[in-house]
Amino acid sequence: MVKNFVRRESYITILGWMVTDLNLKGNELLVYAMIYGFSQSDNQNFTGSLSCFASWTNSTKQGIIKTLKVLEEKNPIEKSGKYVNSVKFCEYRATPIGFD
């Protein structure tokens, strides 16, 4: 069972350009908005777990893995990772978006 990370007072922000310019919808939109919200400064990445994403989207970990792969392929996010005690921890950040 997935731990629920969503509290009543929690929120994410979806900006109009995420829909109009990036053409995101559904879980891609929600996951991107979460990553974007945590990667606003140069030295900060989203380090949440698959369970955290799954809670926010009412999805499964397997579904989130697919969503993250699609977002990486579309290029609005970057993935990096590091090993701590032989365990890989993934980090995500929104790629810079250029607007005219």
Side-chain angles (χ1 to χ4, degrees):
M1 181 164 186
V2 174
K3 179 181 176 184
N4 191 351
F5 288 86
V6 182
R7 287 185 242 123
R8 290 178 58 114
E9 64 276 5
S10 300
Y11 66 94
I12 60 174
T13 301
I14 296 173
L15 301 170
W17 57 263
M18 294 176 183
V19 176
T20 59
D21 295 1
L22 298 181
N23 297 311
L24 298 175
K25 61 183 175 183
N27 285 351
E28 289 177 22
L29 177 61
L30 294 172
V31 168
Y32 178 80
M34 290 174 68
I35 293 169
Y36 180 82
F38 280 94
S39 58
Q40 293 300 294
S41 60
D42 289 336
N43 59 351
Q44 191 171 350
N45 296 330
F46 181 85
T47 58
S49 66
L50 293 175
S51 295
C52 182
F53 283 126
S55 290
W56 273 95
T57 60
N58 273 335
S59 186
T60 63
K61 289 181 184 180
Q62 294 79 16
I64 294 302
I65 290 169
K66 291 177 186 176
T67 299
L68 289 167
K69 285 182 183 179
V70 169
L71 287 171
E72 285 179 79
E73 290 169 5
K74 288 183 175 182
N75 201 34
I77 66 166
E78 302 172 328
K79 177 182 176 181
S80 61
K82 60 183 171 186
Y83 285 90
V84 177
N85 296 327
S86 301
V87 177
K88 185 175 183 180
F89 290 88
C90 295
E91 297 182 352
Y92 299 92
R93 77 175 288 102
T95 57
I97 306 294
F99 295 105
D100 296 338

